[in-house]
Amino acid sequence: MSYDIALVPGDGIGPTVVDAAMPLLDTVADAHGFDIEATRYDWGTERYLDRGAMMPDDGLDRLADHDAILLGAVGHPDVPDHVTLNGLLLPIRKGFDQSICKRPAILFEGVDSPLEGYEGGDIDILVFRENTEGEYADVGGREHAGFPNEVAVQSAVYTRRGTERIVRAAFEAATERSGHLTNVTKSNAQAHGMVFWDDIVDEVSEEYPDVEVERLLVDAASMDFIRRPHEFDVVVCSNLFGDILTDIGAIVTGSMGLAPSANIDPGNDHPSMFEPVHGSAFDITGEGVANPLATVLSGSMLLDNLDEEAAATALWDAVAEQLADDDAPRTPDLGGSSTTEAVASDLRDRL
Ligand code: GGG
């Protein structure tokens, strides 16, 4: 069996972490009797600065036939972030209908949380972030530029199809896990879109009578991700809220460098995409000390999505084992002084 993976390393530390992670996917593939053919697409801000576009016009067509995509990071200090995000990452998520974003936030054994009293195993949250609409909808505009009545409109869009899909995916996961689902909205202030969202959660909940649903406003949820993260299990929320909550989830579980994510096309008509939650981190770009583990864990989620469960588990377990080992190399975000390469090489030995 051979899989055809597209690599889009992107900007900043993206190439460093993708180049560290990909050989580990190859290693685990070899050990489990399958091959990975990887095609690298050097798209990103350097290309934008050179040629005026983050990716070619037919970029999605080129990615379409791959089995999955592994992406690094997007963003560059010389170009506004809305240009880079809307030029590469968001067109892939939207163009490939990757409407289900799964983001685990796990406090691994051996990793220190900044929260006092928390130890490995105490936090295990799985956030389901709606990924192609909501507050990220490209609906709006600006009028009367430069005049006193200049106006900007940015509309959030919630479709029944999109909302039902993410909510149902979260209920399914809650059924398989602890039976507890937290629905995060801001329906006190956003009485149209977010009350609609709550109504859909209520409707879908009738199909899952064994799942207990907790409702939280996003301000309270943000506090509680810090105050009582151990009480969360599966969380479902809109696009923007998911983006923010998963940064909080990453930092209370030790580092942005440990947070993986999966952008899934539930229809399986297009490749799904896997990426670390972190961005391009230009402050450490070129220093060789970026933590590759979020990308390695994203690679594990990629293999799982290809139904290579044993290989996915082996890769995930190697990361968990390394983190639990006091003598293993650690990058500076985890309090160590090791390089990306040292962490990857240690993982290779473990595999
Ligand atoms: N790892 C991909 C990346 O660079 N993410 C940075 C970012 O700002 N993403 C926005 C989002 O996930 O909505």
Side-chain angles (χ1 to χ4, degrees), residues 193-243:
M194 296 251 145
V195 171
F196 171 76
W197 177 290
D198 280 344
D199 288 346
I200 288 183
V201 170
D202 288 345
E203 281 173 34
V204 175
S205 74
E206 288 177 19
E207 298 166 32
Y208 298 90
D210 295 334
V211 175
E212 178 199 5
V213 180
E214 176 188 15
R215 278 188 189 206
L216 279 182
L217 299 176
V218 67
D219 43 340
S222 303
M223 276 194 310
D224 286 345
F225 260 46
I226 295 165
R227 190 168 56 175
R228 54 173 188 99
H230 57 285
E231 290 181 15
F232 289 92
D233 187 41
V234 180
V235 174
V236 65
C237 53
S238 63
N239 208 335
L240 178 65
F241 294 172
D243 185 42

Side-chain angles (χ1 to χ4, degrees), residues 2-278:
S2 182
Y3 298 101
D4 182 8
I5 307 294
L7 302 181
V8 185
D11 298 330
I13 62 169
T16 310
V17 293
V18 168
D19 290 345
M22 195 53 222
L24 300 170
L25 269 75
D26 283 331
T27 303
V28 84
D30 272 356
H32 287 83
F34 62 94
D35 290 324
I36 298 179
E37 290 287 320
T39 309
R40 188 185 173 102
Y41 295 93
D42 283 317
W43 301 340
T45 310
E46 292 304 334
R47 188 184 190 283
Y48 175 85
L49 292 168
D50 214 32
R51 295 194 241 172
M54 298 286 287
M55 63 175 166
D57 289 345
D58 64 349
L60 290 190
D61 293 338
R62 293 203 211 176
L63 294 177
D65 289 333
H66 290 282
D67 294 313
I69 304 164
L70 184 65
L71 181 134
V74 181
H76 191 290
D78 294 346
V79 179
D81 287 333
H82 69 274
V83 173
T84 53
L85 206 63
N86 284 290
L88 186 58
L89 184 56
L90 298 188
I92 300 174
R93 286 185 190 159
K94 292 182 187 184
F96 287 158
D97 206 13
Q98 294 166 350
S99 57
I100 309 290
C101 180
K102 285 164 68 171
R103 294 189 161 190
I106 296 166
L107 182 57
F108 286 95
E109 297 290 343
V111 175
D112 290 333
S113 170
L115 304 178
E116 199 174 292
Y118 280 87
E119 290 179 357
D122 286 348
I123 305 173
D124 184 354
I125 304 172
L126 181 58
V127 174
F128 280 79
R129 166 191 184 184
E130 197 295 313
N131 214 33
T132 54
E133 51 183 55
E135 309 88 339
Y136 276 43
D138 194 17
V139 176
R142 283 167 73 162
E143 284 277 27
H144 313 304
F147 289 92
N149 59 337
E150 185 169 0
V151 58
V153 174
Q154 182 98 44
S155 297
V157 172
Y158 304 92
T159 65
R160 174 168 283 277
R161 177 173 180 264
T163 312
E164 277 183 2
R165 284 203 303 195
I166 191 70
V167 166
R168 192 162 277 113
F171 269 102
E172 286 292 330
T175 303
E176 284 165 22
R177 288 169 56 111
S178 70
H180 188 268
L181 172 66
T182 307
N183 171 36
V184 177
T185 65
K186 188 67 188 171
S187 40
N188 58 344
Q190 303 209 306
H192 306 301
M194 296 251 145
V195 171
F196 171 76
W197 177 290
D198 280 344
D199 288 346
I200 288 183
V201 170
D202 288 345
E203 281 173 34
V204 175
S205 74
E206 288 177 19
E207 298 166 32
Y208 298 90
D210 295 334
V211 175
E212 178 199 5
V213 180
E214 176 188 15
R215 278 188 189 206
L216 279 182
L217 299 176
V218 67
D219 43 340
S222 303
M223 276 194 310
D224 286 345
F225 260 46
I226 295 165
R227 190 168 56 175
R228 54 173 188 99
H230 57 285
E231 290 181 15
F232 289 92
D233 187 41
V234 180
V235 174
V236 65
C237 53
S238 63
N239 208 335
L240 178 65
F241 294 172
D243 185 42
I244 297 167
L245 282 175
T246 54
D247 271 23
I248 303 175
I251 215 66
V252 299
T253 51
S255 172
M256 290 298 294
L258 292 176
S261 78
N263 306 284
I264 308 284
D265 167 17
N268 216 13
D269 296 320
H270 312 92
S272 292
M273 178 166 67
F274 302 81
E275 51 165 317
V277 170
H278 64 69

